[in-house]
Amino acid sequence: MSLNPPLSDFKNKNVWLIGASSGIGHACARWLAKEGANLIISSRREESLIDLNELLIKEFSIQSKIIPLDVMSDQSVEAAQARVLDHFPTIDLLLFVSGVYTPIQAETLNMQDAQSMISTNLLGPIRVLNYLIPQFLKQGNGHIALVGSVAGYSGLPKSLIYGPTKAALLNFAESLYEDLSPKGIGVHIICPGFVQTPATAINDFKMPSLITPERAAEEIGKGLKNGEFETHFPKEFSFFLKFLRILPYPIYFWLVKKFIVQ
Ligand SMILES: NC(=O)c1ccc[n+]([C@@H]2O[C@H](COP(=O)([O-])OP(=O)(O)OC[C@H]3O[C@@H](n4cnc5c(N)ncnc54)[C@H](OP(=O)(O)O)[C@@H]3O)[C@@H](O)[C@H]2O)c1
């Protein structure tokens, strides 16, 4: 069911895409360029953004604006958003894709990885929105889309820290929707299952229902076009996880052990 105004046409829409240098964000940049969006592409690695920009020019004749930023740093985010608002008088879509994933379980718990994941995956979007919410409120329109994960639905093996960052992001997006939807601003949470990217290349287990970043970008685009609050995919895996979380814990833990722990 569509809870947001549909973003039916991306042509000439101003999109700030954070986390564009690799994986799902890179594929989203290509999808959005193909749809004719005006793009600002951001992440830390400027060389990768330059390569992406060259690709977008070659493939779609689209020139994007490169604004590097580190979402773990408040100063970096503040400087970047000022440059974004200089370039775009209004923002039609903020697509926050950046995230880090380190498989952690009880035996490998450490504060360095924990802080890095919390600072990027959860505090990153909060830092950006701390600056951009006033802009969206001033506009009285626009869309905010945050990439979470199906790992946020319930506790999964090797997701001791990653899972809670995405669970909190989902909760954050729900509250954000309640606050901003009455003001005409769309809020979207995107929950992918396993996608073949540099982030998941480190996994030493068989990833169920693994999809390509291009397929993920198409699913994200379709969800935004339909005005969905939550876009989750691939459905055979995401519905299975949604079903798991409503089960009593003895059955939940048994099914996770049987079907997810390899
Ligand atoms: N792959 C999956 O199976 C999967 C499943 C569910 C959800 N997700 C989520 O999808 C998103 C993208 O993941 P991916 O698999 O495409 O991973 P990826 O290929 O490793 O890409 C991660 C992106 O995040 C950016 N990033 C990381 N730290 C950053 C920082 N401090 N500041 C700014 N940008 C930063 C990276 O750019 P720089 O290194 O250039 O900064 C890169 O563009 C993440 O939020 C991830 O949690 C992925």
Side-chain angles (χ1 to χ4, degrees):
M1 183 184 149
S2 155
L3 292 178
N4 289 300
L7 232 175
S8 48
D9 183 10
F10 283 91
K11 191 147 186 58
N12 293 322
K13 292 286 189 305
N14 294 338
V15 179
W16 185 16
L17 170 55
I18 303 180
S21 60
S22 154
I24 297 172
H26 192 279
C28 284
R30 293 180 62 215
W31 188 89
L32 287 161
K34 188 175 70 166
E35 294 279 314
N38 304 320
L39 280 176
I40 295 179
I41 50 174
S42 297
S43 74
R44 291 166 303 180
R45 286 170 292 160
E46 192 168 2
E47 330 75 62
S48 304
L49 298 173
I50 292 169
D51 290 347
L52 171 59
N53 186 40
E54 279 166 12
L55 187 72
L56 298 182
I57 294 170
K58 199 166 127 209
E59 286 190 342
F60 309 107
S61 305
I62 291 278
Q63 172 87 43
S64 52
K65 170 92 177 155
I66 295 171
I67 301 184
L69 96 166
D70 180 350
V71 300
M72 292 207 288
S73 153
D74 193 52
Q75 290 91 323
S76 173
V77 170
E78 185 179 18
Q81 64 84 31
R83 291 183 63 197
V84 167
L85 295 178
D86 272 350
H87 189 73
F88 281 163
T90 55
I91 301 178
D92 297 301
L93 170 67
L94 164 71
L95 177 54
F96 188 101
V97 187
S98 289
V100 285
Y101 164 69
T102 308
I104 303 267
Q105 53 199 72
E107 296 84 344
T108 54
L109 181 61
N110 69 89
M111 284 316 292
Q112 197 182 334
D113 284 332
Q115 277 168 350
S116 154
M117 275 188 273
I118 293 167
S119 186
T120 309
N121 302 359
L122 177 60
L123 293 178
I126 294 173
R127 277 189 195 97
V128 173
L129 287 170
N130 178 42
Y131 291 107
L132 279 198
I133 285 175
Q135 170 67 23
F136 279 108
L137 288 174
K138 196 169 81 184
Q139 292 177 195
N141 60 31
H143 295 255
I144 297 165
L146 309 174
V147 174
S149 169
V150 295
Y153 292 164
S154 54
L156 292 174
K158 302 196 177 171
S159 276
L160 193 59
I161 302 300
Y162 179 78
T165 66
K166 297 298 188 178
L169 191 65
L170 179 55
N171 192 299
F172 175 77
E174 288 164 356
S175 291
L176 200 63
Y177 177 83
E178 285 154 5
D179 292 345
L180 295 183
S181 178
K183 318 260 182 203
I185 299 152
V187 176
H188 310 253
I189 182 82
I190 293 149
C191 296
F194 287 110
V195 185
Q196 197 165 22
T197 68
T200 48
I202 52 170
N203 279 340
D204 59 1
F205 55 91
K206 188 172 177 303
M207 292 177 267
S209 305
L210 185 67
I211 61 168
T212 63
E214 289 72 27
R215 160 95 189 274
E218 271 170 31
E219 296 278 358
I220 292 169
K222 198 169 74 185
L224 292 171
K225 280 191 171 184
N226 290 339
E228 290 168 355
F229 168 71
E230 187 200 16
T231 297
H232 60 94
F233 55 85
K235 292 284 189 275
E236 71 271 17
F237 188 56
S238 53
F239 271 129
F240 174 62
L241 290 178
K242 275 179 181 290
F243 168 66
L244 282 191
R245 76 176 168 173
I246 60 168
L247 295 174
Y249 278 123
I251 305 174
Y252 170 77
F253 288 128
W254 183 80
L255 284 172
V256 168
K257 198 167 171 195
K258 187 163 173 57
F259 291 106
I260 298 181
V261 182
Q262 304 286 321

